[in-house]
Amino acid sequence: MTAASFDLGGYRTPAAGSKEMMCHTLSHVKLSRILILFPFILFAIVFVNYYYLSKVENDAPNSDIHRTRSKLEAFEDFSSLKASDLKLRIEEMLRIRGSVSLELRDLEARRQRLQSEVVTYSQRIDELKGELLRQQTELERLKISVEQAQVARREAMERNSPELALPHRLYPSSTPPKLTPPSLEERSSCTMHLCFDYSRCSLTSGFPVYLYDPDEHQVLGEVESFVKTTVRQTLGYNPHFTDDPSTACIFFVLVGELAAVDMDIGLVTPQSNLTLPKILLAERLAQLPYWAGDGRNHVLLNLARATVEASIRNTGQRRITGDLFQGVNTGRAMVAQSEFSPGTFRPRFDLVLPPLLGPPGGDVWQGVPPVLPARRQFLLSFQGEYVPGPATSSSSEPALLDMHLRAMSRSATSDEFFFQFDCGETDDDKGDDGPDMEAEKNPSLGEWTLCGLSSSRMAFLSVSTFTLIPAPSDPSIASTTLVQTRLWEALRAGAVPVMLGGDRLSFPFGEWVDWARAAILLPSARLPELHFLLRAVTDPDLASLRRQGRLLRERYLASVQAVTDASIAALRCRAGVPPAPVDDEPSPSVFNSTFVPLKMDAVLPETEPDESLGPIEPPYPSPKFKRNYTFYVSQGHEVWNEWVDPFRLYPQLPFDIVLPSDAKFIGSGLGFRPIGRGAGGAGKEFCESLGGNVPREQFTIVMLTYEREQVLINSLSRLYGLPYLNKVVVVWNSPKPPLEDLRWPDIGVPIHVVKASRNSLNNRFLPFDAIETEAILSVDDDAHLRHDEIMFGFRVWREQRDRVVGFPGRFHAWDLKYGGWLYNSNYSCELSMVLTGAAFFHKYFAYLYSYGMPQAIRDKVDEYMNCEDIAMNFLVSHVTRKPPVKVTSRWTFRCPGCPVSLSEDDTHFQERHKCINFFSEVYGYTPLLNTQFRADSILFKTRIPHDKQKCFKFI
């Protein structure tokens, strides 16, 4: 030992001090740090040993065998298995693991397949549930259809109206036998009952009218060429005309003018003695081949073009018109003329005709002033000079009229008047424009003559609100040609006629026409109150009077065609014979043989699967011509004065009378399908029956198309299963026929493809004979409507049959900058039109559009290839004075992928502006009326119990 390691004499050696110091230091090390460092130290030792052993194995030869054996030998220390067996066991386990992995992958693939099949079957289950709901809905519809078919069968067997058979023939097809002519006294008391032979006019005869050839039978000299030619032509166009006198009901005799020189017999008669020519007139009438002794069922037509025509023959003698039959025994023949001598007019037997002052026919709206403004420059105008007659020289009426009119013109009001009491001829009055002042005097009657030429009179009338037309002084005179000429000119100029003494006058076709709606009829005693009365007439009344006068003139007075047709209509209505049926437009098919649609997948309608909209019915046409013999009994006044169309018989009308609601259950329930059989109900009962106020019916879809086959086919396919659809009429507007391989869908109802004669938008509204229902749904080939929307529109139309009921609304707006009308399609709270690309209307309006509306409007539609929908809205509002009805919230239609349509052209809106203004000019005013509401279902947005259904889910 060294000395340093011993403690000597109580002193510590340096070695002992160092050891003591180390122990002191270690005692201050925390136990936690030692515990933390200890695992790291062990890990380092293990890592170093592992690294060393691995290094040694890699560097030694046959290291793999040495390593494997080392591992196995190491394992043998813990197991009884030998190393070789353990290796085999491991390899077997590896093979098992691979096999299990493959099986797991197969099982996973099968699981995914099964999961996909489960999803597919779930979807199929949902589809089958939906199909089940649809089939249940279809089954319910079929049950309802069967029930309604049974009701229809029972109605057919228990009909409460007898079947009509043709009546017995009243008279054989032969000329009438001769009878004794009546005396002048008997002639003056003729009525239809006493002097008309109804046996020649059976209710089913069609009211045939025969015209004596005016060249062969010149009763009173040669008939003027214009009258003779135009009457022949207009009668030839009339459906009642016949050239077989043996079947005729009425015989027309066209009488010439009573001449002082009768060129046929070479007899010259002085004007002071007209007895001999009138004797010759009676003799010539008796010589007519079908006069039959008394002239029954004959009508003597004296069609005047002026009161006293100032034309002079080569002989220098004046030809005189007026009442040619004064003092002539015309037997039991009716007289139709403008002027009747005192006491000679036989009410409800003779006819008062207007003078022939218009063209032969055609449109007569040109040159007529518009209806508005209601008030014009002059409140009242009058032109005339009184010429007393022998029997009226002491009458005070002319002096009173002169006095009161002059006092009126000096009244302290702002009203302006134009009065002329002296017809002194001026240079301006000379010419060929009309009869001159001398020619208009009729000294035998005592009345106010016309002043000046027709053009000068029209100039004052066109700026007059009212015009005065005084009656002749002789109260026994029913009509004169002067009065009728004044009336005709006043109506043409739009001046409201004030008929002084109108309570004793007879007017053209006054038996049927209500002239109080177009003129103010005053007794002569009201003359002092005339100014007060005229000032009290409101603007709406003025516009109504002027509009009605314009309608009456255009339909009954304006042309030779109008006068002839109205005369036949008036006589036919007297006899109670219905007019000839209106002609349907032929609808030739584009297919040479019968068209059979091919079976193809139908496009399902865009409705809920559980929503039933109505029963399935076979095609059921609307009953036609049911009111042929009762129509004029109940609505004759409306035909002549509101609809102004007594010339043709229509299959149905939108104005037909509606039965009271209790009639369905008390003896008149034929065809009605009340909701819940009368008990009412919510959606379920609502969808089972049509209900409403009219019997059951269906509708026809008319679809106009032009070379858009696929768009058309898609639109047709969407109609599959649509309730109450009778058929679809496709108007093929293209000159090219459809493609031969075009597959037409089977939609459950007939599809009739009509070949149009030319490409015209007017074809949309042709009354095709293939349309067998009153209701027409006009649809564009690219319009996309849901079934529930169509059904709702149809139900609304059934309650508004005289209006256009549709979806997109438009309106006419006033041009604040330049004046006039503009077509506007912006969103608005007020509309006046419904586009006919998706709208319901009555077939009656298709007849009016094609046959009754002025031709100028249809020509404008063809010129622009536009505006047919505006024209239809104008027509319906003009006839009914009602606005259209908009249904649902649709404002436009979108058709993705459809070719560009005409409405997307840049000039489309400019043309529509022009159309509105042109149509207003034709009608004389703008018929369109504004409306501020649209129709939605009754229970729309109404909270109802859970066990109830709404009428429509989305409407």
Side-chain angles (χ1 to χ4, degrees), residues 114-348:
L114 290 174
Q115 188 175 6
S116 176
E117 290 179 1
V118 168
V119 173
T120 302
Y121 284 124
S122 298
Q123 293 176 351
R124 180 60 178 165
I125 290 173
D126 293 338
E127 292 177 358
L128 290 176
K129 288 181 178 179
E131 183 65 23
L132 177 61
L133 291 176
R134 281 192 290 270
Q135 293 297 333
Q136 289 177 343
T137 303
E138 194 73 11
L139 180 60
E140 292 297 325
R141 294 176 62 187
L142 288 174
K143 289 181 179 178
I144 299 171
S145 302
V146 170
E147 292 177 0
Q148 295 201 3
Q150 293 174 347
V151 173
R153 180 176 178 272
R154 185 168 60 252
E155 288 176 345
M157 297 180 64
E158 301 176 359
R159 185 182 297 271
N160 59 2
S161 59
E163 292 289 343
L164 292 178
L166 289 177
H168 296 291
R169 189 167 186 83
L170 299 180
Y171 200 85
S173 297
S174 62
T175 57
K178 289 188 177 182
L179 297 177
T180 305
S183 63
L184 285 176
E185 292 75 14
E186 293 174 338
R187 172 197 175 276
S188 63
S189 60
C190 266
T191 62
M192 293 291 291
H193 171 68
L194 295 175
C195 297
F196 188 78
D197 185 6
Y198 283 94
S199 64
R200 299 198 61 85
C201 301
S202 169
L203 292 175
T204 59
S205 64
F207 200 75
V209 175
Y210 176 79
L211 174 67
Y212 285 97
D213 187 349
D215 290 330
E216 182 179 353
H217 303 282
Q218 296 184 8
V219 177
L220 197 62
E222 185 178 358
V223 180
E224 185 185 358
S225 176
F226 172 82
V227 175
K228 178 172 59 178
T229 303
T230 54
V231 170
R232 276 176 170 172
Q233 291 177 350
T234 54
L235 272 179
Y237 297 144
N238 194 285
H240 299 282
F241 176 74
T242 181
D243 55 3
D244 182 7
S246 64
T247 62
C249 169
I250 292 292
F251 299 85
F252 276 172
V253 181
L254 195 57
V255 181
E257 298 157 317
L258 186 60
V261 179
D262 192 327
M263 301 301 295
D264 294 335
I265 61 175
L267 177 66
V268 178
T269 306
Q271 276 189 292
S272 58
N273 184 9
L274 299 178
T275 303
L276 185 56
K278 290 191 175 184
I279 294 176
L280 295 175
L281 172 60
E283 292 178 355
R284 289 198 174 182
L285 289 175
Q287 294 172 0
L288 293 173
Y290 312 110
W291 187 258
D294 60 350
R296 60 189 179 280
N297 291 33
H298 279 62
V299 180
L300 307 179
L301 292 175
N302 176 22
L303 300 176
R305 299 195 65 194
T307 49
V308 179
E309 188 176 332
S311 60
I312 305 300
R313 280 195 164 188
N314 295 331
T315 57
Q317 300 295 325
R318 184 183 299 274
R319 300 172 63 84
I320 302 175
T321 63
D323 187 359
L324 303 183
F325 307 103
Q326 182 181 8
V328 178
N329 190 349
T330 56
R332 294 184 173 89
M334 290 175 276
V335 176
Q337 59 183 0
S338 301
E339 184 166 318
F340 288 88
S341 301
T344 60
F345 178 71
R346 297 166 292 183
R348 303 184 67 84

Side-chain angles (χ1 to χ4, degrees), residues 45-108:
I45 293 171
V46 174
F47 181 76
V48 170
N49 290 334
Y50 178 78
Y51 176 76
Y52 176 76
L53 291 176
S54 301
K55 186 69 174 175
V56 172
E57 284 185 8
N58 291 333
D59 293 342
N62 299 325
S63 58
D64 291 338
I65 299 174
H66 176 72
R67 183 176 68 253
T68 304
R69 290 184 61 192
S70 298
K71 293 179 179 179
L72 293 176
E73 290 173 355
F75 185 76
E76 287 178 354
D77 296 339
F78 306 98
S79 175
S80 61
L81 294 175
K82 294 182 181 181
S84 60
D85 295 336
L86 186 61
K87 180 180 179 182
L88 293 174
R89 180 67 61 85
I90 292 173
E91 290 176 352
E92 182 66 21
M93 295 297 291
L94 291 174
R95 284 195 300 273
I96 292 173
R97 190 187 74 169
S99 176
V100 170
S101 297
L102 290 175
E103 290 180 1
L104 289 174
R105 283 195 294 270
D106 292 341
L107 290 173
E108 178 64 19

Side-chain angles (χ1 to χ4, degrees), residues 498-515:
V498 178
M499 309 298 298
L500 192 63
D503 54 337
R504 65 174 189 260
L505 287 175
S506 296
F507 299 95
F509 317 112
E511 185 179 346
W512 302 101
V513 176
D514 185 2
W515 284 98

Side-chain angles (χ1 to χ4, degrees), residues 38-48:
F38 182 73
F40 283 101
I41 293 171
L42 290 178
F43 180 77
I45 293 171
V46 174
F47 181 76
V48 170

Side-chain angles (χ1 to χ4, degrees), residues 512-514 517 632 634-643:
W512 302 101
V513 176
D514 185 2
R517 300 181 57 178
Y632 279 89
S634 57
Q635 292 180 298
H637 182 272
E638 289 84 352
V639 172
W640 280 86
N641 298 281
E642 293 183 10
W643 315 324

Side-chain angles (χ1 to χ4, degrees), residues 361-518:
D363 288 351
V364 291
W365 58 270
Q366 297 94 335
V368 179
V371 173
L372 300 174
R375 301 190 180 276
R376 298 175 175 177
Q377 177 182 354
F378 300 116
L379 177 66
L380 179 67
S381 67
F382 173 73
Q383 290 179 285
E385 181 178 349
Y386 184 75
V387 178
T392 59
S393 58
S394 60
S395 175
S396 61
E397 286 189 6
L400 291 175
L401 176 64
D402 186 296
M403 180 185 67
H404 285 294
L405 292 184
R406 293 182 187 276
M408 187 184 303
S409 63
R410 295 191 298 267
S411 61
T413 63
S414 59
D415 298 326
E416 295 186 41
F417 303 90
F418 177 78
F419 298 139
Q420 181 182 357
F421 302 102
D422 184 6
C423 293
E425 184 178 3
T426 63
D427 294 338
D428 294 336
D429 294 331
K430 296 179 180 179
D432 297 329
D433 188 65
D436 58 23
M437 181 268 298
E438 289 297 331
E440 297 297 337
K441 292 183 179 180
N442 194 338
S444 62
L445 297 181
E447 60 178 327
W448 296 84
T449 64
L450 297 175
C451 292
L453 301 176
S454 175
S455 58
S456 64
R457 296 192 298 270
M458 291 297 297
F460 287 108
L461 290 173
S462 61
V463 293
S464 302
T465 306
F466 299 94
T467 184
L468 187 65
I469 304 179
S473 300
D474 189 344
S476 63
I477 296 177
S479 173
T480 68
T481 311
L482 279 173
V483 171
Q484 302 303 333
T485 301
R486 287 184 182 274
L487 177 63
W488 193 96
E489 291 181 348
L491 296 177
R492 186 181 186 278
V496 177
V498 178
M499 309 298 298
L500 192 63
D503 54 337
R504 65 174 189 260
L505 287 175
S506 296
F507 299 95
F509 317 112
E511 185 179 346
W512 302 101
V513 176
D514 185 2
W515 284 98
R517 300 181 57 178

